[in-house]
Amino acid sequence: MSGWLDAVLDLLFPAICPVCQARSDDRAHRPFCQVCWAALPLLAGGGCRVCGRHFPGLPEGLTCDACHREPPPFDYARAVGAYRDGLRAAIHALKYQRRQPIAVPLAALLAEAGARLLGFAPDDESAAPFDAIVPVPLHPARLAERGFNQAELLAAPCARRWQRPLLTRALLRTRPTRPQTELDAASRRRNVAGAFTVGEPAAVAGRRLLVVDDVLTTGATAGAAARALRRAGARAVGVLVLARVADP
């Protein structure tokens, strides 16, 4: 019966790949098609032990010059893929076309690949180097406009898979900010400076936190979130994103 029902639903509501716009032929990763899912620009890991970026001549596990000169507010940042090609198209479709089903396979990818990048087996939650997960929040006005927080859609399945609390009210966005895509690096930092506060200090104090978001560009948003969590007493703050802009 379920196979028959799936066939009928697929006929009435076909899954359209967010990258090539063809009908999905990949049941494991719908709505992606098999070709576009296989071509997602995933990153292998390694690079700077703090920011995670790759630099020519930098041995794996060492810190890059930029992080030496000006250490970021977070302890580490890791990205599953590069923000280009199919991954960029998928994130845009999720956020701006409000195609929430796209978040399902992307969150599964984040949970699987993210665990590898953070150094533990996906099903061995005891080895995870964090105590709780904090999705980067939207301002209430932006949340009302979009109808969902894409960071929370990505983070919630990770929290379930890794058996860690999902702290959706610990970090709050207290003032609206311009879209970061419109700004240069310096303007991005000014745009989000002081934009976050901690709504549940007791949930943060003394804990190792993993901040989850969809895209990391200059690190301004992640840095502002990490600063707020640090001020509230977080013991450590790491960052995991689905995609980051290309390494310099």
Side-chain angles (χ1 to χ4, degrees):
M1 174 64 80
S2 63
W4 175 84
L5 182 59
D6 285 344
V8 171
L9 290 175
D10 190 49
L11 182 64
L12 295 175
F13 307 103
I16 303 301
C17 178
V19 182
C20 69
Q21 309 307 314
R23 193 171 187 153
S24 173
D25 56 357
D26 188 346
R27 290 196 176 277
H29 305 112
R30 293 179 69 180
F32 291 87
C33 72
Q34 291 182 354
V35 171
C36 290
W37 180 263
L40 290 180
L42 304 185
L43 299 173
C48 171
R49 69 176 186 85
V50 179
C51 69
R53 289 186 180 277
H54 290 260
F55 296 90
L58 179 69
E60 183 175 346
L62 296 185
T63 304
C64 71
D65 288 342
C67 290
H68 264 305
R69 291 195 306 270
E70 188 176 353
F74 43 78
D75 294 273
Y76 58 86
R78 299 292 182 267
V80 168
Y83 187 57
R84 58 178 173 80
D85 304 334
L87 201 49
R88 183 178 187 275
I91 292 172
H92 270 242
L94 170 63
K95 292 169 65 172
Y96 304 120
Q97 299 172 22
R98 296 175 174 82
R99 293 181 59 184
Q100 293 186 55
I102 294 172
V104 176
L106 291 180
L109 173 65
L110 187 66
E112 186 72 26
R116 172 180 54 80
L117 292 169
L118 298 176
F120 69 100
D123 296 310
D124 182 14
E125 69 281 354
S126 64
F130 49 86
D131 305 311
I133 297 174
V134 181
V136 171
L138 295 178
H139 186 267
R142 182 69 57 81
L143 180 61
E145 175 188 352
R146 183 169 294 165
F148 61 88
N149 178 4
Q150 70 279 355
E152 188 172 336
L153 292 183
L154 295 171
C158 293
R160 290 193 296 270
R161 176 77 182 269
W162 300 334
Q163 298 186 37
R164 287 292 190 271
L166 181 69
L167 307 181
T168 59
R169 299 294 298 170
L171 188 65
L172 305 176
R173 202 164 193 141
T174 53
R175 65 174 178 81
T177 55
R178 291 174 59 190
Q180 292 284 73
T181 54
E182 301 175 356
L183 307 173
D184 60 25
S187 299
R188 286 170 186 257
R189 289 191 292 270
R190 290 193 297 269
N191 188 44
V192 295
F196 298 102
T197 190
V198 172
E200 297 177 344
V204 168
R207 302 179 91 174
R208 302 169 303 162
L209 303 176
L210 181 68
V211 172
V212 171
D213 206 358
D214 57 339
V215 179
L216 183 72
T217 306
T218 63
T221 299
R227 286 189 187 93
L229 294 169
R230 289 280 199 186
R231 286 195 298 268
R235 181 155 61 97
V237 180
V239 177
L240 176 67
V241 299
L242 186 61
R244 78 182 312 153
V245 297
D247 290 341

